[in-house]
């Protein structure tokens, strides 16, 4: 990996389109979300200068500091855990939230969004492996809550997100990506409507995720270098 973020960005974009094409998808089937957590606004500005507009942050506080320092035509996605008491701060900053993991939180977010005249795009974060340490919906609970989630008026449920268990090689993540896609297919069949979004794939495994249907990959260290 080079130390020039523009060079890293174009390398990652190339790998994304290559992975899509070799799995029979269109070159632009998966969007790139550049994960800028821990990196200062000046570093993020280098990626903006290279023509990229969509960024992910995992903490509200960091977003509050960083987002106002950058151009206002950027798209910001919250990828980290969202606490109820931060929803009111999050909504003016982030247009998309990848980490809704209960009906209660979704309902509360919809209510606050109504007050603020917002309608964020929402991915439901699913904990496929039943890991104690991870946030996320249990798959059967998503099935049970689906109708209520889809009825919420001020959030737009666009799909599912997962963070697979730590793995030593990219192939180890493949079964989890398959599971997320299958859960999505099942939910679509139950709801009779499409849930197009699959937020899956990070620096270490985004090509495998795209081969399994990812529509948005969340990539930080392959662009910025490793976080210290
Ligand atoms: C940090 C983070 C990423 C990016 O991880 P990299 O390995 O640096 O690409 C993706 N998704 C979530 C939820 C993260 O917290």
């Amino acid at each position: 990996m080079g130390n020039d973020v523009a060079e890293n960005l174009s390398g990652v974009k190339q790998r994304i389109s290559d992975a899509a094409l070799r799995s029979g998808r269109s070159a632009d089937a998966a969007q790139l979300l550049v994960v800028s957590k821990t990196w200062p606004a000046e570093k993020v500005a280098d990626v903006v200068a290279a023509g990229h507009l969509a960024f992910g942050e995992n903490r509200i506080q960091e977003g509050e500091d960083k987002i106002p320092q950058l151009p206002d035509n950027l798209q910001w996605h919250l990828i980290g855990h969202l606490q109820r008491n931060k929803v009111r701060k999050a909504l003016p900053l982030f247009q998309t939230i990848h980490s809704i993991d209960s009906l209660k939180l979704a309902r509360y977010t919809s209510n606050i969004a109504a007050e603020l005249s917002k309608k964020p795009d929402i991915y439901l974060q699913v904990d496929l492996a039943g890991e104690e340490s991870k946030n996320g919906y249990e798959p059967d609970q998503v099935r049970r809550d689906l109708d209520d989630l889809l009825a919420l008026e001020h959030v737009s449920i666009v799909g599912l997100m997962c963070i697979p268990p730590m793995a030593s090689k990219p192939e180890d993540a493949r079964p989890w990506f398959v599971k997320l896609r299958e859960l999505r297919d099942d939910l679509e069949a139950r709801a009779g409507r499409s849930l197009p979004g699959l937020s899956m794939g990070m620096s270490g495994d985004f090509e495998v995720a795209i081969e399994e249907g990812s529509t948005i990959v969340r990539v930080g260290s392959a662009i910025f270098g490793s976080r210290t």
Side-chain angles (χ1 to χ4, degrees):
M1 179 169 53
N3 47 20
D4 174 14
V5 293
E7 202 174 292
N8 295 343
L9 178 71
S10 71
V12 167
K13 283 184 171 169
Q14 184 66 50
R15 288 167 60 196
I16 288 173
S17 53
D18 288 349
L21 289 171
R22 77 173 165 263
S23 46
R25 307 177 69 201
S26 64
D28 62 356
Q31 193 197 337
L32 169 62
L33 184 69
V34 171
V35 175
S36 49
K37 67 184 185 197
T38 77
W39 298 101
E42 308 85 76
K43 266 292 230 190
V44 183
D46 291 342
V47 182
V48 177
H52 192 80
L53 302 177
F55 294 91
E57 288 285 334
N58 68 336
R59 296 180 57 238
I60 308 296
Q61 174 74 60
E62 194 176 337
E64 281 185 301
D65 294 342
K66 197 181 298 182
I67 293 170
Q69 299 179 54
L70 285 152
D72 58 15
N73 64 331
L74 305 183
Q75 296 135 36
W76 291 96
H77 295 225
L78 181 67
I79 60 173
H81 182 57
L82 177 59
Q83 287 171 300
R84 184 185 166 89
N85 64 0
K86 299 281 173 66
V87 170
R88 196 176 285 280
K89 281 186 171 174
L91 289 178
L93 295 167
F94 296 96
Q95 296 84 56
T96 305
I97 301 172
H98 291 237
S99 49
I100 296 290
D101 61 1
S102 71
L103 177 58
K104 207 173 147 196
L105 181 61
R107 189 174 276 144
Y108 183 73
T109 301
S110 182
N111 290 342
I112 302 297
E115 265 183 48
L116 301 177
S117 301
K118 304 276 182 194
K119 188 171 182 181
D121 283 343
I122 298 290
Y123 293 85
L124 302 170
Q125 181 175 351
V126 183
D127 176 16
L128 296 166
E131 290 179 285
E132 286 293 325
S133 59
K134 286 222 178 110
N135 299 303
Y137 246 119
E138 193 252 316
D140 275 335
Q141 192 62 47
V142 189
R143 292 186 177 94
R144 285 192 288 272
D145 289 349
L146 186 62
D147 288 345
D148 291 334
L149 287 163
L150 294 175
L152 296 172
E153 285 185 20
H154 283 268
V155 294
S156 178
I157 310 283
V158 296
L160 306 179
M161 177 272 215
C162 74
I163 306 172
M166 288 281 267
S168 53
K169 52 185 197 306
E171 274 306 316
D172 295 346
R174 189 181 299 273
W176 302 110
F177 297 145
V178 171
K179 269 191 205 294
L180 195 69
R181 185 188 66 225
E182 289 174 348
L183 176 61
R184 190 277 308 271
D185 293 348
D186 180 41
L187 296 174
E188 283 189 331
R190 284 164 186 261
R193 53 155 274 187
S194 96
L195 285 168
L198 285 175
S199 169
M200 58 189 198
M202 310 182 8
S203 291
D205 55 21
F206 67 85
E207 287 154 303
V208 175
I210 291 167
E211 288 166 11
E212 297 304 339
S214 174
T215 60
I216 180 165
V217 294
R218 311 177 308 265
V219 179
S221 48
I223 308 277
F224 289 109
S226 55
R227 295 176 292 273
T228 44

